[in-house]
Structures are given as structure tokens and as C-alpha cells.
Amino acid sequence: MDLPPTDDLAAIGLAWARAMPTVVLVPAFGLKALPMPARAILGLALAAAIYPSLLPVVNAERSLPWVLSALEQIILGLPVALAAAIPLWVATMAGGLVDVLRGSPVGPGLAVVEERASSFGVLLSLFASVVFLANGGASRAAEALTTAPPSAHPAAAVAHDLASGIGLAVAIGGPVLIAAIVLEVAFALIARAASPAQVHALFAPVRALGLLAVVALVLDRIASFMAIRL
């Protein structure tokens, strides 16, 4: 069997280096559910789809050691990885915020989410991952990897991704925080008008149900907003 040309092998290696930050950081690609060798193979599969875009890099950087070229590609792939990963991590943190506000303890986490994720954080993380995959997030990430920003702009791209993540966090967490404040004010007024012994026992479950109801009401908005960002 004929082996691929040397240029193709070098381009596949550089494409693998560019794709690995996305495979490692984006929750939809498995995180702890996949061992590192499996993620390396997934990165290789993604590299096989995008390596033709790296052939000009191989031709232009023949004088550089391959390791330096691979390091450059990792840096170029990092903004794409952050752009895809930040909305999914924001969803996980938003779920954790809901659990904190409703007084739920932090759970042990599941295999697809990093440690210390709360139960609702895991649920929203899975929801965001489904939105990511259902809306062609994987193919859009591959397309973005073929046109990664020039080496002079990765820092600016990372800063832009982080700023977008802050805006997304505010858009998702804002309604939940407002609902929590409204519920606390309402409970305070009720407690002032009634005997505390009669109402304090109801506060925790009603607060939890109220916050979950708000999340249910804005879930469509969250899904559509995340679909735009993903």
C-alpha cells in the first residue's frame, strides 16, 4: 500500500496540532467521558478533514522545525476552541448558579463534565452540547479551523471570545438572578405579614420551584441565543 506523500503527513500532523485544543476544551467532544488516547484519535479524524488547508503552511515553513510549526498551530487553534467551548461552559456555570440559589449542594459531577459540577449544571451542559451538535457546531468548528486567524491576532481573538462569554453569561444568568431577588423580596414581605413559623418552612421548596419555573420559561430563549453563539 502506498504511503501518503511527506507533505501530506506533515500537514496532517499540523492539522492535528491545530484541532487538539478544540477536542480537549469543548465539552461536546466528551471531556472525561473519553480517555486522552480516544481524544487524540478524534483529533486525528478532525485533522484528516482539514489538513489540505495546512499544505501551504508546510510549503512556507520548510525551514522551521516541525515542533515549532506544531506549537504555532496549537496557538492558532486556541481561539477557535475557546469560541466553541465558552458557551458550553457558560451553560454549566449557569446551571451551577441555579443550584446555588435554590440551595442545592454541589454534586459529584458526571463523566462528561469536569469535577464539582452541580446537578443542574450537568443538565444544562448536556443541553448545550446537544444544541452545539444539532446546529452543526462540529462542522462549523472544523471550518473555522481551516481559516484560523493569522499568528499576529490570536490574543485579540481570545480576548474577544472571553468578552463574548461574559455577555452570554449575563444573558443567561440575568433572568435567574432577577427571579431570585423578586422571590426573596416576596418572601420577606410574606414573612413580615405572617408568623415566621408558618412560612419559613415553605420558603426553600417554593424558591427552588420558582427558579426552575423561570429557567423553564427562558429555556427557549437560552437555546436560541446559544445556537447563535455556538
Side-chain angles (χ1 to χ4, degrees):
M1 184 177 65
D2 294 335
L3 294 176
T6 303
D7 286 355
D8 286 353
L9 290 175
I12 290 174
L14 294 181
W16 179 80
R18 183 181 287 190
M20 278 310 295
T22 299
V23 174
V24 170
L25 295 178
V26 177
F29 291 128
L31 287 183
K32 294 191 300 179
L34 291 178
M36 186 56 69
R39 280 187 265 179
I41 294 174
L42 180 59
L44 186 61
L46 186 56
I50 67 172
Y51 86 91
S53 65
L54 274 295
L55 287 172
V57 176
V58 173
N59 294 327
E61 299 183 354
R62 289 184 182 277
S63 60
L64 288 177
W66 184 88
V67 174
L68 292 181
S69 297
L71 181 60
E72 178 188 25
Q73 296 309 313
I74 291 174
I75 295 173
L76 290 175
L78 186 59
V80 177
L82 289 176
I86 284 175
L88 303 181
W89 286 115
V90 166
T92 305
M93 296 302 103
L97 174 64
V98 173
D99 279 331
V100 169
L101 293 175
R102 69 188 182 93
S104 175
V106 175
L110 294 179
V112 293
V113 181
E114 291 296 341
E115 295 180 0
R116 308 304 296 170
S118 65
S119 56
F120 204 75
V122 171
L123 181 61
L124 278 189
S125 178
L126 294 175
F127 171 73
S129 296
V130 170
V131 173
F132 175 84
L133 296 174
N135 285 275
S139 61
R140 292 205 302 274
E143 182 180 0
L145 287 171
T146 64
T147 58
S151 57
H153 303 294
V158 169
H160 178 269
D161 293 337
L162 293 175
S164 298
I166 293 173
L168 181 60
V170 171
I172 294 178
V176 177
L177 286 173
I178 293 173
I181 293 173
V182 171
L183 288 174
E184 288 295 335
V185 172
F187 290 156
L189 293 176
I190 294 173
R192 184 176 181 180
S195 174
Q198 297 175 356
V199 296
H200 276 302
L202 299 176
F203 281 0
V206 172
R207 180 191 299 111
L209 290 175
L211 290 173
L212 292 178
V214 171
V215 173
L217 290 174
V218 301
L219 195 60
D220 288 340
R221 178 190 174 194
I222 293 174
S224 60
F225 195 72
M226 292 190 66
I228 295 173
R229 295 298 185 94
L230 293 175

